[in-house]
Amino acid sequence: MLTFTVLGPVTARRDGEPVELGPPQQRAVLALLLAKAGKPAGQSELIDLVWGERAPTSAANLVHRYVGTLRRALEPGLTTRRQGELLTRQAGGYELLIDADASDLSRFRALVARASMAADLDDHVAALELVRGRCAAELGRPHPVFAEIDHEVADAARAAADRALALGKPEVVLAGVRRIAGWMPLDEALHVRLMRLLVAMGRPGAAEDVYRDIAQRLVEQLGIDPGKDLRAALRMADVRAAVLRPAQLPADVRSFAGRGGELADLDRWADEKVEVLCLEGMPGAGKSTLAVHWARRNRLRFRDGQLYVNLHHAGPDTAVPMLRSFLRALGLPADQVPESPDELAAEYRRMIAGKELLVLVDGVCRVDQIRGLTPTPGALVVVTSKRRLPGLSEVGKVGVVSVGMLDPEQSRELLSRRLGAGRIDAEPVAAERIVQACGGLPLALSLVAARLLMNPGFTLASVVDDLTTVFGGSGLRTVFSWSYDRLGGPAARLFRLLSLHPLDGFSAPVTARLLDVDQPTAEAALAELVDSWLVDQPKPGRYRAHELVMAYAHDLSEEIDSEADRTAATARMVQHYVQGTQWAHDSLAAEQNEREAVAWYTAEHEVVETLIRQVDEPWRLTIPMQRFYLRRGLLQDWEDSVRISLAKAVDPAPRARLLMGLAGVSQVTGRLDEAVTLYRESLIVGKDVDDPKRVIITLIGLAGVEEARGDRKTAGIVLKQAWEIVESRLGVEGGPLPEDTKILLRYLLDTGDELGLFESEVVRAHLAAALN
């Protein structure tokens, strides 16, 4: 069987084997006959294609010879004088008679026609895959017929893009549209579609590159500016870039010093296109500072943004929360974030496909924490770890940089940047002894500098004797002690008790509860810790302390504070978060101070989540957290917290509320049968608990599920039971109602109206009257 191509190279094949088509002039004759697709090509038209204005006087004979040679090539065995069946002579020209499916052009047109009526993209994709270049491009001979076919191809690519965008599947046609746009570098409409596809895939940076390239070509080759549709596509890319381009890197350290070798190694690994870049070294060696400094210096390499997460003190289960956080930062709505680890990893890979992203994961302890971050081309995962991670190569191509101690010159540079060059130059011998005693540990050097900054009258020599006497081999505890020993009583006690906090990040109010003092006293103590460099304030209202500093604080607390004091402080801290979650819950329920309540939840929910996994009575936190979980769509976090609390709850009162909450999770995730079971189990468990409001809420939820399952009769009965409890237990007809009772009644009234489940207007009237 003979097959032909003209959408790109001009070829012929017999049973899969190539047919020799001869010189360019002869191939041009075949190309025009194929492009005519069953219509004759006139002899003068062929002559014009092959020679243009330079046609020889023998051009007609030469065309006749080319046709004869093609006939014998396509139909072996033909004699010189026979015309054959494929390439026939017509009045004034020639015609190629082949089956429709023998030509890529005919197959392309058939697929395009079918695609216009199809619901999916299969025919669009198949049509674009047939195109291997501009029509007869290899010949370098322009012709109106060839140009018209190129327009057909461009139209098909634009139609495929529009259909893919309408279906929300831009990735399906991207490769074909991009390839064809490359062959038509001045087609503005086609490049607009390419930009829209890239933006829809979350790659606005790549769309901006497309715009820059075609804009330059239009100016240089045609002397015109991009049209309004291209400019509109650029604006759309700019908007999406602003939304989807995360910029989560922490601030750089202004006094960063040294590390020239490590920075060069990091640059080298990045140039070698590694997928994972690991900074490893002992605690306090400055891995995090170096990673952030390098990342900020190289962030322009990664035009689609930077992701960051701090896993220090994050606990054993970090991969799932990290992926959820990254997906939200990449623009995925909370209610679309998957639940299982495998689904999260798959969605993450989908969202970063083709993106040039920098992902910095600080404080990795195990490879499985980042296994879901398998990089794609153009992305780089940078991790810091105080442990060696030999299995890191399972994640991707790895580059490792060991972060050791600063050398003496770098140590002096760090001191000079912190203290000023004049102070170091004035006491070079003492400065040298400090450098030697600190052993190149950046954290130790920073704390020494802090001691000198806080005491402008101190000379460098005045601290040397303490260093050389006490350091021995490590000396870090002594370095920390300099800052600690200068603290006043409340600040010193706060420093020790901060080691009881579950995370290294905290807000100012919790410090008052740890100390059991008023807020001004606590804030003064906290300010003293910040001034002493023992605590950092990365942003207003939030504080953190380095893990080594907190380890030192923990040791001090165990040495100085009694077990009773530590237990009492922990209880006060937990109570602070219990009261905070309850206040935020009540505020949202009453639709008061909503902004402040959401801000509190947002700032503190990671701390609360950690405490839920640590305390003996986690339901005190879980129950008031549920409204926030639902509001933010954190359904998996909600379910996990409830199940953790249920495992520890024995008393029927909290168990009934937790079961009600678990039923709520099942309800909003569509597990209706499970929700019914849990709501009814909550009613059974709490049957002897005097809590009518909880029973009413449970019945309202159960009615909603029964109605969703199609059992309106049962739903109506359940809602009626709720109203009977309202009448018998809440005294709705006995005078003014408390605000929380009004909220509950509104909930009941709204639910009944929404579901249409009230059996009579009397009940509705009673409810409305009670509210008024």
Side-chain angles (χ1 to χ4, degrees), residues 509-546:
V510 74
T511 60
R513 301 304 291 273
L514 282 168
L515 285 175
D516 198 20
V517 298
D518 58 47
Q519 195 64 43
T521 302
E523 289 178 355
L526 186 56
E528 194 174 345
L529 294 180
V530 172
D531 290 342
S532 300
W533 290 40
L534 291 171
V535 168
D536 185 25
Q537 187 177 13
K539 59 183 179 180
R542 298 298 296 180
Y543 300 84
R544 68 184 178 193
H546 192 280

Side-chain angles (χ1 to χ4, degrees), residues 377-433:
L380 175 64
V381 178
V382 179
V383 302
T384 70
S385 178
K386 57 188 176 185
R387 300 178 182 177
R388 295 187 183 277
L389 301 172
L392 204 55
S393 58
E394 300 171 12
V395 179
K397 182 181 177 182
V398 181
V400 178
V401 175
S402 295
V403 182
M405 299 302 99
L406 297 173
D407 63 32
E409 182 179 350
Q410 292 172 337
S411 297
R412 283 190 294 272
E413 181 185 1
L414 190 152
L415 285 175
S416 179
R417 287 180 179 270
R418 293 284 175 88
L419 300 174
R423 203 166 176 184
I424 301 301
D425 293 341
E427 298 183 77
V429 175
E432 184 63 23
R433 293 179 66 184

